Amino acid sequence: MRTRLLAASLTALAAVSLAACSSSGSGSVSSSASNPNKATAAAGSPTDTAATASGGATPGSTAPVTTVPGTPVPADPSTPGTDGSAPAKPAPPADAGLPAKPDAGLTSKVVAALNAIDPAIVGGKPDQVVEQARKQCQAMYQFPKDSAKLVQLAAQHFTSPDHPQGFGPDTSAKINDALRATLCPPQR
């Protein structure tokens, strides 16, 4: 019984010390240290009782983490960036690789390049084909080394009433080359 009481007292003292060490001067240290009932309540909490009932923290064993309200929770070492390792990379934005809407001069270059391949690609809708070209540029950014996928996506982006399934793999590859030369930013 004395061992349990001693373990509970030491756990409460450690919690108060942890709160004092991690406090940034917000006043919670003085209220925790000056209020012995608060430390006693923490020592008798269900979490603390469970830790001491199992024998407490003995060398070579793991005890449940107990925290006092207002203290930070220890970092989870399984989460990247919380154990001192390199921070986790943020996800790229949804518009990564999507070029800005081109001005009139660049639009005419893109339309001319696509008309040179096959006038049915533009089909008299330059604004629509430029939007399709921007989406294809984004695909080129996302899959820079997968030429088969880029050909497949070009066939999906560039269709016409006469070519509802796209213009075929050869024409799609030419479309990709024309977009790389005119609209799409250089590959990374």
Side-chain angles (χ1 to χ4, degrees):
M1 185 64 158
R2 284 186 185 176
T3 305
R4 287 186 181 172
L5 183 59
L6 179 61
S9 298
L10 289 176
T11 304
L13 180 61
V16 170
S17 298
L18 179 63
C21 290
S22 65
S23 175
S24 62
S26 64
S28 62
V29 173
S30 60
S31 65
S32 296
S34 66
N35 188 353
N37 292 334
K38 191 170 191 176
T40 305
S45 68
T47 305
D48 191 37
T49 306
T52 56
S54 66
T58 59
S61 71
T62 3
V65 176
T66 59
T67 60
V68 173
T71 61
V73 177
D76 180 10
S78 65
T79 305
T82 59
D83 62 349
S85 66
K89 281 185 171 181
D95 64 346
L98 187 68
K101 290 190 179 194
D103 60 6
L106 185 54
T107 297
S108 64
K109 286 181 185 179
V110 172
V111 169
L114 294 176
N115 272 333
I117 297 168
D118 187 342
I121 296 172
V122 178
K125 300 177 181 176
D127 292 334
Q128 183 179 356
V129 82
V130 167
E131 284 306 307
Q132 293 165 336
R134 290 179 67 223
K135 290 177 186 175
Q136 186 65 18
C137 287
Q138 187 174 27
M140 288 179 188
Y141 176 84
Q142 293 171 343
F143 308 103
K145 295 182 172 129
D146 194 351
S147 60
K149 177 125 179 134
L150 293 176
V151 166
Q152 177 189 8
L153 291 172
Q156 290 175 6
H157 288 142
F158 297 94
T159 60
S160 72
D162 294 336
H163 300 91
Q165 300 297 318
F167 289 87
D170 292 336
T171 304
S172 294
K174 290 177 185 177
I175 290 171
N176 287 336
D177 292 340
L179 295 180
R180 281 187 192 102
T182 57
L183 181 65
C184 300
Q187 297 296 314
R188 39 185 171 142

